Amino acid sequence: MRNIPLLPTLLVCLLVYTNTVFAQKAIPNTFSNSNNLNQKTSIYKKVAITLNEATDLEKVAQLGIDLHCGVDVQHLNGKEVVSVEISQSEWQQLQLKNLETQVLIEDLSKFYEERNLKALPQAKKQLQFLKEQSLKNAEVGQDLGCVENPLPVPQNFKLGSMGGFTTYQEMLDELDLMHAMYPNLISARIPASNTITTAQGRTVYYVKLSNNPNVDENEGEVLYTGVHHAREPLSMMNLLYYMWYLLENYNSDPSIQRLVDNTEMFFIPVVNPDGYVYNQTTNPNGGGMWRKNRRNNGDGTYGVDPNRNYSYNWGYDNTGSSPNTSSDTYRGPFAFSEPETQIMRDFVYSRNFVNAFNNHSYSNLLLHSWGYTPDPNPDEELLDEISEHMCWHNRYNYGNSYKTINYATNGDANDWFYGEQTTKDKILGWIPEIGTSAEGSFWPSPSYIQPQCERQTRMSLILAASASNYGVINDLTPYGLEGSNPTLTFNIQHLSNISGNFTVSVSSSSPYVQSIANPVMTTPTITDANDATVSTGITLAAGIPAGTPIDFTVVLNNGTYDLHTTTISKVYNPFELFADDCNDLSNWTTTSWGVTTATGYNANGAITDSPSGNNVNGTQTITLSNPIDLSGAQSPVLEFYTKWDIFRLFDYAQVEVSINGSTWSELCGNYTKQGVSSIDFNTGTPDQPGGEGLYDGLQKNWVREQIDLSAYAGSNTVYIRFKIAGDTEATSHEDGFYFDDLTIYRTPSGHCEDGVLNADETDVDCGGVDCLACPTCSDGIQNGDETGVDCGGSNCGLCPPEY
């Protein structure tokens, strides 16, 4: 079930904010200029808060608790339950609010440390096994459908000594090793500022990854950062994983090589080294819960939240950031008061970044601007469309803070990157929140480190690709090619802040393809999330047998390099078992779906679950009134054109099949994705069937869906239905699901059982015998190209026994 309004602050980076009570554990003074290191560590608890009243969450928010990083929200027994990781003093303040609370873990740091030490040996063995089993050469970009193409596990990625996470020095050593092994692809680590260091005198480093890492080229620039918050080591580990992935696959994977050769990628793995080292010092086996930097605030408290210290709408309100020095979201005395954010500001001004990832953990979220207001930003559609492809397989919830978690931030990096345009163009920025509470929260069990890093890799690849002219291609050509001059049609959807045109190149090695009228098609210039369609005629050889498969190689190029190469398979004149133009419901049984004339792939409308508004609560189905007979079908295929707007992660649509009309199974197609499971989701309890193929999110343009029905060939009663399910607790839904021009094909069998030539058979009269297609002869002479039949000067009748 979907969490609804109740949560004006929901989720994701957890915190601790007001007064702190310290345990009796002294910190070694390891730096002469760091007299604050004798501060004692705070005890953090994991606490569940049951929201019995509509105002209960507001009471939590009033304590200054950040609900943006690492909060877990579930619906249990008809009530919302919010799990937070908070300090001892915050726990005491919750008690004063008369809230229903339960302590789930008494001492989080101790819990993390003990668990991770125990799990680390097995996690290392597991990582080694994955490396040995690793696959190679999965394409960088377009990868849709139910199952993700697996990516190879980097052979040089390793777990660190801090409960599986690297220490700060180990991270620096990794950067040095990368440069030593791949000096032509990654620079040595370089100070992000030559004049500014942290409060404790540390240098913030960056590296550049490119085919010319020491040359400033005219290529799209992208920035990846980690550890703004000191207790979020996954935000750094995933960058090391991703960098190793790029470096190791550059020479063997052409798509990686093209990406690296045409993009300049900059990495700042640790923005807040003082805070990270503080956690390392207090908890050398992992589990340190310090979040901020290590500024001495002069009042007995320490630290500013770097991700509340950027200037764009800094201090906009006291909910999205705090003026309280003891709060974990303390925004500092003024914007850019902190050396870490000053370094980031100056570094960004020195470059020409197009896109940026400011990595955090946890909650399986991908957040974009705005954070400070619920108003959509001018590029909301573009950011959402890119996010849709980034999150296709990992099923992160994406959008702005209000849409995803109903919680505000201000003074964060994302809004500054996008909104600060006085001297720089806007930068499309995202905040990935990596991981879930089920995987171990801020310091996940080491067995989850590699899977979490892998989940983010495709997102990072698309971030880099979309720093240049980028898009995806949709094949709109029907599965069945008819006539001697059919047409191939493609739609290209633009997904970048960099406008441009694309070329679509088509070729075929089939002997039946005599010519392609326009083998290279060029789109007009496309901007933002807009699209364009191109097409070309093809000429087929005369006498091509019905049922002949024809493959085409299709290449999408952005004007500089190839983005996507695919093979599309068509069949000449396949037999249509069923066809419906979806202009009426004469072939369907339903109580709720209807026909709309407001839209359609072709003229005269389409079928939709919501002909007069948005989809609604509960489940609505539409079923073919008569089952399809696939008993003699070869390679049956379901095809339809579709688009949808469905509340992602909660509502969903499916195509289902049954052989008895009562037990249904979902079908996976080119545009389905896997349903999200509540265990992978921190912001509610979705109604989606976890792991099943379904449609959700936004597909604004018509696409052609193709689904293989071969698993049901042989059955004479195959039922097909569409289903849409609206989350039962939702107060609102989106537009819904549409389909048009539905066809079920099979390739001609070449069989005849009645002695009569039918439309689904080849040009052979088999004389009443069930046989495969036998050739014709007209000269009465048996030749080598015939089947051993002397036809006596006429077309053959009975096929020989061996047929």
Side-chain angles (χ1 to χ4, degrees):
M1 314 277 166
R2 177 154 85 68
N3 290 319
I4 15 212
L6 246 230
L7 305 176
T9 31
L10 260 88
L11 286 102
V12 316
C13 250
L14 198 185
L15 340 100
V16 6
Y17 338 102
T18 52
N19 308 317
T20 19
V21 174
F22 299 103
Q24 301 304 309
K25 181 178 178 181
I27 309 305
N29 188 344
T30 55
F31 296 90
S32 58
N33 65 340
S34 304
N35 56 12
N36 57 335
L37 282 178
N38 61 359
Q39 186 183 8
K40 301 179 178 66
T41 60
S42 174
I43 294 176
Y44 286 74
K45 301 177 183 293
K46 184 164 187 174
V47 178
I49 308 167
T50 300
L51 306 180
N52 293 308
E53 304 291 341
T55 58
D56 281 355
L57 195 63
E58 183 179 351
K59 294 177 182 178
V60 178
Q62 288 172 350
L63 299 178
I65 295 177
D66 177 15
L67 298 171
H68 188 272
C69 279
V71 173
D72 186 18
V73 183
Q74 299 295 325
H75 185 91
L76 299 174
N77 300 320
K79 295 181 180 179
E80 305 292 343
V81 178
V82 180
S83 297
V84 293
E85 300 182 19
I86 58 177
S87 68
Q88 177 72 21
S89 63
E90 291 171 321
W91 159 244
Q92 292 170 346
Q93 291 185 51
L94 281 176
Q95 298 298 93
L96 297 176
K97 291 288 187 179
N98 295 318
L99 295 167
E100 181 182 341
T101 59
Q102 178 186 2
V103 176
L104 304 177
I105 300 175
E106 284 284 356
D107 187 335
L108 276 168
S109 292
K110 180 180 178 182
F111 170 80
Y112 287 141
E113 179 178 11
E114 292 177 350
R115 181 197 61 193
N116 288 15
L117 282 176
K118 183 178 179 180
L120 185 55
Q122 182 59 37
K124 289 182 177 179
K125 292 180 181 179
Q126 175 183 312
L127 177 59
Q128 183 58 36
F129 174 79
L130 292 172
K131 291 178 181 180
E132 293 170 356
Q133 301 298 312
S134 185
L135 301 174
K136 298 293 182 183
N137 294 349
E139 189 171 79
V140 169
Q142 188 168 345
D143 179 30
L144 308 181
C146 279
V147 180
E148 181 176 16
N149 292 325
L151 300 174
V153 177
Q155 299 297 302
N156 285 289
F157 178 76
K158 54 182 173 289
L159 303 178
S161 65
M162 192 164 57
F165 298 91
T166 62
T167 64
Y168 183 64
Q169 185 58 50
E170 288 171 346
M171 182 276 298
L172 296 178
D173 293 343
E174 288 288 294
L175 299 182
D176 294 343
L177 178 61
M178 290 177 190
H179 175 63
M181 293 180 64
Y182 300 96
N184 295 324
L185 293 177
I186 189 168
S187 71
R189 53 185 167 98
I190 305 168
S193 173
N194 292 319
T195 59
I196 305 173
T197 58
T198 67
Q200 295 179 348
R202 292 187 177 86
T203 298
V204 174
Y205 289 101
Y206 80 91
V207 293
K208 175 185 172 184
L209 199 154
S210 173
N211 65 321
N212 291 303
N214 301 310
V215 178
D216 193 5
E217 300 179 291
N218 185 26
E219 297 173 347
E221 296 184 1
V222 60
L223 175 65
Y224 303 86
T225 72
V227 192
H228 267 82
H229 293 149
R231 63 181 175 202
E232 300 171 15
L234 238 302
S235 64
M236 171 264 293
M237 294 292 290
N238 93 89
L239 294 181
L240 298 178
Y241 187 96
Y242 174 55
M243 285 189 278
W244 279 123
Y245 173 83
L246 294 172
L247 296 170
E248 291 179 11
N249 291 281
Y250 177 84
N251 287 325
S252 60
D253 188 334
S255 64
I256 293 294
Q257 187 170 113
R258 290 191 293 267
L259 184 69
V260 172
D261 286 354
N262 292 280
T263 314
E264 294 187 324
M265 300 178 227
F266 293 80
F267 297 83
I268 301 180
V270 177
V271 172
N272 178 10
D274 290 357
Y276 192 70
V277 171
Y278 181 80
N279 279 329
Q280 174 186 326
T281 308
T282 61
N283 298 87
N285 293 311
M289 291 296 290
W290 187 258
R291 168 184 164 103
K292 300 183 287 184
N293 70 4
R294 293 300 297 168
R295 160 194 276 268
N296 186 339
N297 293 322
D299 60 357
T301 68
Y302 292 87
V304 168
D305 181 346
N307 206 42
R308 301 294 188 274
N309 190 240
Y310 289 84
S311 63
Y312 192 80
N313 282 297
W314 177 88
Y316 182 79
D317 59 35
N318 294 332
T319 302
S321 66
S322 176
N324 187 338
T325 60
S326 62
S327 168
D328 263 7
T329 59
Y330 174 48
R331 58 182 172 246
F334 51 87
F336 287 124
S337 62
E338 304 311 293
E340 294 86 357
T341 54
Q342 293 170 20
I343 291 169
M344 288 295 301
R345 175 196 63 196
D346 297 348
F347 185 68
V348 170
Y349 279 154
S350 72
R351 305 305 317 171
N352 293 295
F353 293 120
V354 178
N355 292 342
F357 263 0
N358 293 297
N359 292 281
H360 288 257
S361 69
Y362 60 95
S363 284
N364 278 8
L365 292 171
L366 184 62
L367 305 175
H368 63 65
S369 298
W370 299 116
Y372 79 97
T373 175
D375 297 335
N377 70 64
D379 293 288
E380 190 87 6
E381 181 183 14
L382 174 60
L383 286 160
D384 279 347
E385 291 281 9
I386 297 174
S387 300
E388 171 75 8
H389 285 266
M390 287 179 172
C391 302
W392 192 278
H393 292 292
N394 65 22
R395 304 311 327 268
Y396 281 19
N397 192 6
Y398 63 82
N400 62 41
S401 294
Y402 282 88
K403 181 179 291 187
T404 55
I405 58 178
N406 201 20
Y407 175 76
T409 61
N410 51 72
D412 73 349
N414 242 25
D415 279 9
W416 180 76
F417 276 31
Y418 181 76
E420 180 62 54
Q421 300 183 56
T422 55
T423 59
K424 301 290 293 183
D425 291 333
K426 60 190 174 186
I427 299 170
L428 299 185
W430 287 265
I431 296 177
E433 293 280 1
I434 308 165
T436 66
S437 60
E439 294 170 315
S441 307
F442 291 115
W443 295 87
S445 175
S447 62
Y448 286 115
I449 294 175
Q450 185 276 332
Q452 289 183 346
C453 292
E454 185 176 31
R455 278 207 307 264
Q456 175 116 351
T457 299
R458 193 171 299 280
M459 291 171 53
S460 296
L461 289 168
I462 294 176
L463 184 82
S466 60
S468 303
N469 184 34
Y470 179 69
V472 295
I473 186 169
N474 300 302
D475 170 28
L476 299 179
T477 309
Y479 175 74
L481 299 178
E482 297 180 352
S484 59
N485 299 104
T487 299
L488 304 180
T489 304
F490 305 93
N491 176 265
I492 296 85
Q493 182 181 5
H494 190 258
L495 297 170
S496 175
N497 199 29
I498 305 299
S499 60
N501 54 28
F502 299 86
T503 61
V504 178
S505 302
V506 181
S507 61
S508 178
S509 60
S510 171
Y512 295 104
V513 177
Q514 291 191 327
S515 65
I516 299 175
N518 298 300
V520 179
M521 297 160 277
T522 303
T523 72
T525 298
I526 317 178
T527 61
D528 301 325
N530 297 308
D531 68 292
T533 299
V534 296
S535 61
T536 180
I538 60 174
T539 301
L540 300 178
I544 177 174
T548 299
I550 304 176
D551 290 344
F552 298 90
T553 299
V554 182
V555 180
L556 178 67
N557 184 283
N558 68 355
T560 304
Y561 64 98
D562 293 344
L563 294 174
H564 182 55
T565 301
T566 188
T567 298
I568 61 172
S569 298
K570 306 297 177 182
V571 173
Y572 177 71
N573 197 25
F575 179 65
E576 295 181 359
L577 285 168
F578 175 82
D580 185 3
D581 59 14
C582 300
N583 294 339
D584 57 50
L585 299 178
S586 58
N587 290 311
W588 302 88
T589 300
T590 184
T591 59
S592 55
W593 293 57
V595 173
T596 176
T597 58
T599 186
Y601 179 67
N602 287 312
N604 303 321
I607 296 176
T608 177
D609 65 284
S610 48
S612 58
N614 291 348
N615 71 294
V616 297
N617 289 342
T619 299
Q620 293 83 40
T621 62
I622 182 169
T623 308
L624 274 178
S625 300
N626 298 310
I628 305 299
D629 183 358
L630 298 183
S631 57
Q634 293 184 7
S635 306
V637 168
L638 169 65
E639 173 185 86
F640 56 91
Y641 291 80
T642 181
K643 67 176 183 175
W644 60 89
D645 186 3
I646 300 172
F647 198 103
R648 59 184 173 271
L649 303 173
F650 293 97
D651 300 347
Y652 64 95
Q654 289 182 306
V655 189
E656 295 186 314
V657 62
S658 174
I659 59 175
N660 57 21
S662 59
T663 304
W664 296 88
S665 300
E666 93 282 359
L667 293 170
C668 282
N670 296 329
Y671 292 92
T672 52
K673 57 191 76 164
Q674 290 194 9
V676 67
S677 170
S678 59
I679 196 171
D680 298 323
F681 200 62
N682 273 35
T683 60
T685 308
D687 279 346
Q688 287 192 350
E692 291 189 10
L694 51 78
Y695 305 90
D696 74 357
L698 174 65
Q699 177 58 52
K700 66 177 182 177
N701 300 314
W702 289 94
V703 292
R704 186 188 67 89
E705 182 63 288
Q706 179 176 315
I707 299 176
D708 184 8
L709 296 178
S710 294
Y712 300 92
S715 174
N716 61 358
T717 54
V718 177
Y719 297 85
I720 303 291
R721 78 177 185 184
F722 290 84
K723 177 177 75 175
I724 190 164
D727 189 283
T728 53
E729 291 190 6
T731 56
S732 62
H733 302 276
E734 307 299 341
D735 187 27
F737 187 83
Y738 297 79
F739 68 91
D740 197 4
D741 293 349
L742 183 144
T743 309
I744 299 175
Y745 300 93
R746 72 163 172 81
T747 55
S749 65
H751 287 69
C752 54
E753 300 175 352
D754 55 7
V756 179
L757 176 61
N758 296 320
D760 63 331
E761 294 153 7
T762 55
D763 192 10
V764 179
D765 182 352
C766 295
V769 177
D770 185 2
C771 58
L772 295 175
C774 53
T776 61
C777 56
S778 58
D779 57 5
I781 300 174
Q782 179 180 331
N783 297 320
D785 61 344
E786 295 155 359
T787 60
V789 180
D790 185 349
C791 296
S794 62
N795 287 346
C796 62
L798 294 178
C799 294
E802 59 266 29
Y803 255 74

